[in-house]
Amino acid sequence: MLCVGCSQHSFTAKNGMLEASFRIKDAEQVSLYHSADGFQENKTGLKDGKWQTMIKKSEHFTYFLTVDGSIFLPDCEMKQQDDFGGEICIYERQE
């Protein structure tokens, strides 16, 4: 069972890349998909209780996750309608 309200996430600039980090309880596999790379699967690895992956640095993109094979949106501040009648998260670089 996935604890939907139990996610925390962040994007942190590191060495010209973005470290995407997601705290999702009770997950066995988490993947990130984002518009900056055409929604290719970015598999994450579990480190210190967070699912993490490095992605190409970008100023703006939309994204979603899959958790154990099911589409999942973390608690993101900005969302928009996607092309399939659902929602997708928006990332914009903050100064």
Side-chain angles (χ1 to χ4, degrees):
M1 184 175 208
L2 179 65
C3 183
V4 175
C6 298
S7 69
Q8 299 173 340
H9 69 287
S10 64
F11 291 93
T12 306
K14 289 189 176 183
N15 301 321
M17 302 284 285
L18 281 179
E19 179 183 72
S21 178
F22 305 92
R23 186 178 302 275
I24 301 173
K25 290 186 177 183
D26 303 324
E28 292 187 24
Q29 181 179 350
V30 176
S31 293
L32 169 67
Y33 298 81
H34 63 91
S35 60
D37 73 355
F39 294 102
Q40 301 283 327
E41 180 179 25
N42 293 274
K43 292 185 178 185
T44 65
L46 189 58
K47 181 179 177 186
D48 298 326
K50 296 178 184 176
W51 296 93
Q52 299 176 333
T53 189
M54 298 299 285
I55 61 173
K56 183 179 175 184
K57 191 173 179 180
S58 183
E59 301 292 314
H60 172 87
F61 56 85
T62 55
Y63 66 97
F64 67 92
L65 306 173
T66 58
V67 176
D68 299 334
S70 297
I71 293 175
F72 175 77
L73 285 186
D75 297 329
C76 49
E77 291 183 25
M78 296 185 292
K79 296 178 185 176
Q80 70 183 34
Q81 291 297 120
D82 67 15
D83 294 337
F84 304 101
E87 291 185 315
I88 194 164
C89 291
I90 301 169
Y91 168 82
E92 287 193 15
R93 187 173 74 100
Q94 303 293 317
E95 292 293 325

